[in-house]
């Protein structure tokens, strides 16, 4: 990995190497006594940034890696892409996961993997991200392994053909091409695998962190645990959106046969080359190139225009028929997308299960809080009833404390009788309230 990083890193500019010496020289006063500028401006770097040059990692079909610097417009002409597609790969902007099939390229924006896939090469933005380097290494390994597999398959097919020709004097297997994915689908498969693996690892880490925290929250409800669960839920929602976007993008591609047919870049390139070679090999009305052509027999301009229109129409019809045939033969890409759709759907189900567990924990906590709240309300109700009963003694004391004279005050046991009667009345009132609460089912008694 370190060797690959050293190969892929762009060389240090000379201005950066001599920056210390230039700064020291610039800090010396000039002959006129004026102090020069202390900052050193890298003019070449400014020019490069002004031109919009970006560093790209190029991997071709032979697993060769190269770091190139291409500006935006050259990349648009090279891959036949509009500016909005290149804007999806800009690391300064945050765009959702997208897979776009164009005429000559596939634009892939899946998490950390942002690349342009053509029939001959893969172009990635040069980055020190470990996922980008792993993508390059994995693509090289698979291209080399597929090259070895192709040679082995060709040798085995040739051996089988010789044996069949020797035994039956005919060839049983006419199709000698091995069954393998084209270059663009291999690169797309590695990008899908990297994105699905990255999202699944994040979901697994979130699960490992979430379940113990939720179990702790159910046993001890505190402000700290609630804050940790809130942060966990926000991370879960963000991750679920990213996984859902990747899943929707794959599902949208699987539902649209035309988009899948557009992604067969190798076949389209072969058809285009075949049509060009076919047009060059067409006979020129039975005339040789060395034979002189008289001006009388040369076709007029209207006939030449009609001929060029017929050639263009035939090319359009051949391209249309090739696109229709490619639409019918998309099982290869559909099976590839379906495999990773199952993987990303499994990750989404994992996150959905975690969200349901969080929702169940929140419901359980709310039930606990409601139970505590109900207990507090019941205690408050009992306390209010007891306060009402005690208030009866205050009313009696207030009545007998008024400034009037009665014969009942002259009896020696009057205080005891008043206290006993008031206490019995208070107990009866309290029991009446309890019976009312039980009948109305306001509290369990």
């Amino acid at each position: 990995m370190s060797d690959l990083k050293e190969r892929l890193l762009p060389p240090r500019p000379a201005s950066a190497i001599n920056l210390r010496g230039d700064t020291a020289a610039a800090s010396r006063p000039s002959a006129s006594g004026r102090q020069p500028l202390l900052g050193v401006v890298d003019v070449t770097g400014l020019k490069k940034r002004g031109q919009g040059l970006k560093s790209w990692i190029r991997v071709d079909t032979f697993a060769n890696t190269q770091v190139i610097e291409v500006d935006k417009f050259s990349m648009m002409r090279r891959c036949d892409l509009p500016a909005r597609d290149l804007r999806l790969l800009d690391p300064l902007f945050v765009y959702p996961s997208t897979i776009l099939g164009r005429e000559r390229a596939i634009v892939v924006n899946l998490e950390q993997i942002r690349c342009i896939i053509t029939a001959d090469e893969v172009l990635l933005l040069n980055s020190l991200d470990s996922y980008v380097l792993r993508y390059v290494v994995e693509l090289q390994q698979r291209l080399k392994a597929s090259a070895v597999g192709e040679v082995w398959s060709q040798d085995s097919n040739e051996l089988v053909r010789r044996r069949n020709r020797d035994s039956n004097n005919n060839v049983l297997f006419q199709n000698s091409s091995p069954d393998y994915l084209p270059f663009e689908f291999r690169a797309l498969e590695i990008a899908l695998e990297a994105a699905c693996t990255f999202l699944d690892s994040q979901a697994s880490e979130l699960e490992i962190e979430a379940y113990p925290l939720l179990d702790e929250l159910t046993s001890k409800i505190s402000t700290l645990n609630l804050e940790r669960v809130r942060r966990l839920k926000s991370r879960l929602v963000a991750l679920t959106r990213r996984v859902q976007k990747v899943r929707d993008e794959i599902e949208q591609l699987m539902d649209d046969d035309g988009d899948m047919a557009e992604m067969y870049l190798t076949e389209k390139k072969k058809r285009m080359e075949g049509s060009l070679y076919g047009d060059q090999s067409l006979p020129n009305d039975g005339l040789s190139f060395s034979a002189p052509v008289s001006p009388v027999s040369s076709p007029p301009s209207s006939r030449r225009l009609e001929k060029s229109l017929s050639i263009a129409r035939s090319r359009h019809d051949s391209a249309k028929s090739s696109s229709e045939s490619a639409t019918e033969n998309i099982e290869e890409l559909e099976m590839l997308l379906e495999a990773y759709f199952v993987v990303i759907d499994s990750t989404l189900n994992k996150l959905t299960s975690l969200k349901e567990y969080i929702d169940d924990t929140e419901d359980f906590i709310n039930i606990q809080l409601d139970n505590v709240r109900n207990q507090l309300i019941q205690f408050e109700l009992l306390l209010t009833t007891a306060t009402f009963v005690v208030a009866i003694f205050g009313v009696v004391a207030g009545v007998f404390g008024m400034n009037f004279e009665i014969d009942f005050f002259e009896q020696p046991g009057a205080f005891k009788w008043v206290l006993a009667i008031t206490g019995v009345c208070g107990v009866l009132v309290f029991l009446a309230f309890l019976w009312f609460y039980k009948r109305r089912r306001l509290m369990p008694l």
Side-chain angles (χ1 to χ4, degrees), residues 190-207:
I190 299 174
L192 289 171
E193 182 180 352
C196 294
T197 305
F198 175 71
L199 294 174
D200 188 70
S201 63
Q202 284 197 342
S204 301
E205 292 176 1
L206 202 61
E207 274 187 336

Side-chain angles (χ1 to χ4, degrees), residues 43-56:
V43 181
T44 59
L46 289 177
K47 185 178 180 181
K48 184 181 295 185
R49 286 192 293 270
Q51 292 177 354
L53 291 177
K54 289 185 179 181
S55 180
W56 297 79

Side-chain angles (χ1 to χ4, degrees), residues 93-105:
F93 299 98
V94 179
Y95 289 99
S97 298
T98 309
I99 302 175
L100 300 176
R102 296 302 185 224
E103 182 66 28
R104 294 175 53 191

Side-chain angles (χ1 to χ4, degrees), residues 283-320:
N284 295 327
D285 297 335
L287 297 177
S288 62
F289 290 101
S290 59
V293 181
S294 63
V296 179
S297 61
S298 61
S301 59
S302 60
R303 185 177 177 184
R304 285 183 300 201
L305 179 61
E306 183 179 357
K307 185 177 180 180
S308 62
L309 289 176
S310 64
I311 292 175
R313 194 180 300 111
S314 64
R315 288 184 180 178
H316 177 70
D317 294 338
S318 62
K320 185 177 179 180

